[in-house]
Amino acid sequence: MRFLRVVASLLAGIGILISMQVEVAAATLTFTGNITTSSCKLAGGVTQKEVPLSPVHVNQFNGVGSTTGFKDFDIDLENCPVQYNKVKIYFYSCTGPFAYIGAEGTCTRTSTTVNVQLRNADDTVIRIGTEADARSFSINPNGTVSASYKVGYYAGAYPVVPNGADYTITAELKYEN
């Protein structure tokens, strides 16, 4: 039994001796990357886009939910990060004097009967504040995007009372592959 202990001690000592003699090769790993703040910008160096709507007469509305005076407009973007394939444009807020997003996803305010409604180029309604209504657009190899929309008047109440319809609708860009 004593012989077994001596052999076990010797083997354990050799194991320690062997592990102490193993050489470890060193390696250096270098990781490089680049974090940018690059994002699409409105084309032409502007920071906002104004879309003036033509005046309409109150007789052009025939009830709550009726619409009129739609105008086509484009949002042209440049300097978009080309490492992404698409950009999603999400209209998420509506501001102006006493403005809020109405139940039907229009821009409205407490002091008016006329709201503003956004639509895609194919006339499908965009409910402001509803990300599910956001559409994606392809980023061209040169970093540009052109997105077509429509905006018009929406009767939030009836009869419509003559009033202004000045609102600011804010969009967020989300990049996709």
Side-chain angles (χ1 to χ4, degrees):
M1 183 87 156
R2 187 172 176 179
F3 175 72
L4 271 173
R5 281 190 205 159
V6 171
V7 171
S9 295
L10 282 173
L11 288 174
I14 292 170
I16 291 172
L17 185 63
I18 292 172
S19 67
M20 291 174 61
Q21 293 179 355
V22 173
E23 291 185 32
V24 177
T28 302
L29 300 176
T30 303
F31 299 97
T32 59
N34 189 11
I35 308 301
T36 67
T37 58
S38 175
S39 63
C40 298
K41 296 181 180 11
L42 287 172
V46 297
T47 57
Q48 65 181 22
K49 181 175 182 86
E50 291 187 26
V51 182
L53 295 174
S54 299
V56 296
H57 194 274
V58 294
N59 293 349
Q60 290 181 265
F61 297 96
N62 58 16
V64 173
S66 61
T67 60
T68 190
F70 277 85
K71 180 175 186 171
D72 295 341
F73 71 98
D74 293 325
I75 296 178
D76 294 318
L77 303 172
E78 59 188 12
N79 299 323
C80 294
V82 295
Q83 66 266 30
Y84 296 101
N85 297 320
K86 296 181 177 186
V87 61
K88 182 184 279 188
I89 301 176
Y90 164 49
F91 298 98
Y92 69 91
S93 76
C94 171
T95 57
F98 305 105
Y100 61 96
I101 299 171
E104 56 285 309
T106 61
C107 249
T108 189
R109 60 180 161 209
T110 54
S111 63
T112 186
T113 56
V114 179
N115 306 351
V116 173
Q117 183 182 71
L118 280 178
R119 293 183 181 179
N120 290 299
D122 65 2
D123 275 326
T124 55
V125 173
I126 299 170
R127 294 169 296 167
I128 300 164
T130 304
E131 191 168 354
D133 287 357
R135 286 214 175 152
S136 296
F137 298 89
S138 293
I139 298 174
N140 296 315
N142 65 354
T144 61
V145 173
S146 186
S148 297
Y149 295 100
K150 297 179 180 185
V151 62
Y153 300 106
Y154 176 96
Y158 193 79
V160 170
V161 177
N163 203 337
D166 299 328
Y167 299 99
T168 300
I169 299 172
T170 307
E172 175 180 272
L173 306 178
K174 294 187 177 188
Y175 301 103
E176 303 173 328
N177 279 323

